[in-house]
Amino acid sequence: MAAVDTPLVSIVTPSFNQGRFLEKTMRSVLEQDYPRIEYIVIDGASTDNSISIIERYTKQLAYWVSEPDRGQTDALNKGFAQAHGEILAWLNSDDVLYPGAVTAAVDYLKAHSEIGMVYGDLDFIDENDRVIGRFNAAQTDLHRLRRGYVHIPQPAAFFRAEHWRRVGPLVPNFFFAMDYDLWVRLAGVTQLKYLPGNLWAQFRLHSDAKTV
């Protein structure tokens, strides 16, 4: 397949002391069937076994670093600053992509040039990988986002780099809801599209998770 038909996809994983989940996260990206993924891991100077896990996959990574940072948002901005892809996404270090997710997202964006971000469905899982629920994803837009109607599962969202360059980076001092803020800004410059029935990711709920 010609390179023009396979746009580069850059995926960033921010991580800090998530060694017990990190390898599963990384493998879920590295084992995707899509042929052009630029995978970037930004570690915040973990003190657990995270570094040994990352080093195991160094040859398959486009870039990685382990150094102190100001948290998840800072790590994401650092990761996207290294990205060269036409399509961007991020996967936190305890979440998982389902097989085929990247291919499905890229195929849709290739066929619909007017869409700047596409997102699918997401399962909630526990620390033992058991599915315990489904995210309430739904179609939204700028008007509804501004009223708090989010319904976008972040690990299952893929967006065009050209729009990131217009509205990014993430607000550095946002500890929570940095994704919500980004969705609002993206919706201000492009269309967002939800694809029901496309199960693309897993979001892990566990005692050490920031969301919990």
Side-chain angles (χ1 to χ4, degrees):
M1 188 177 293
V4 69
D5 295 325
T6 53
L8 182 66
V9 177
S10 298
I11 299 177
V12 175
T13 289
S15 184
F16 179 68
N17 285 343
Q18 292 286 352
R20 62 179 175 148
F21 304 124
L22 179 59
E23 185 164 22
K24 187 173 183 67
T25 296
M26 293 181 63
R27 289 180 64 108
S28 79
V29 175
L30 296 171
E31 295 175 4
Q32 289 287 310
D33 62 1
Y34 189 75
R36 297 191 69 213
I37 294 177
E38 177 186 62
Y39 192 27
I40 296 165
V41 178
I42 307 295
D43 180 82
S46 291
T47 56
D48 62 358
N49 63 332
S50 295
I51 305 308
S52 63
I53 292 170
I54 296 168
E55 289 177 336
R56 201 174 303 157
Y57 298 95
T58 298
K59 293 182 179 179
Q60 295 169 265
L61 300 178
Y63 178 85
W64 77 277
V65 68
S66 180
E67 62 187 16
D69 56 38
R70 291 174 290 166
Q72 179 190 15
T73 308
D74 184 37
L76 286 167
N77 283 337
K78 286 165 59 175
F80 286 130
Q82 296 290 332
H84 301 92
E86 298 172 51
I87 298 169
L88 306 177
W90 83 79
L91 188 69
N92 293 323
S93 53
D94 46 4
D95 297 335
V96 178
L97 284 181
Y98 276 117
V102 176
T103 294
V106 171
D107 284 349
Y108 186 84
L109 289 172
K110 281 167 51 182
H112 299 85
S113 60
E114 76 281 8
I115 302 298
M117 187 177 90
V118 64
Y119 55 100
D121 285 313
L122 175 148
D123 280 334
F124 291 118
I125 59 172
D126 67 12
E127 57 190 70
N128 297 309
D129 300 327
R130 293 176 297 203
V131 174
I132 55 175
R134 177 69 55 87
F135 185 93
N136 184 25
Q139 181 63 54
T140 192
D141 55 28
L142 180 59
H143 176 69
R144 284 179 279 189
L145 280 164
R146 283 177 167 170
R147 296 172 58 193
Y149 193 87
V150 189
H151 296 282
I152 299 173
Q154 174 271 309
F158 296 80
F159 50 95
R160 298 186 191 274
E162 63 186 282
H163 301 310
W164 165 266
R165 289 191 288 269
R166 291 178 67 186
V167 304
L170 301 172
V171 179
N173 61 346
F174 275 22
F175 184 69
F176 292 107
M178 76 290 288
D179 51 353
Y180 181 15
D181 178 64
L182 178 62
W183 308 151
V184 172
R185 284 186 278 157
L186 286 171
V189 299
T190 188
Q191 295 183 56
L192 315 184
K193 180 64 176 179
Y194 167 50
L195 299 183
N198 282 259
L199 189 56
W200 287 350
Q202 296 176 331
F203 184 95
R204 192 182 301 277
L205 296 172
H206 59 95
S207 57
D208 295 329
K210 186 169 73 171
T211 302
V212 173

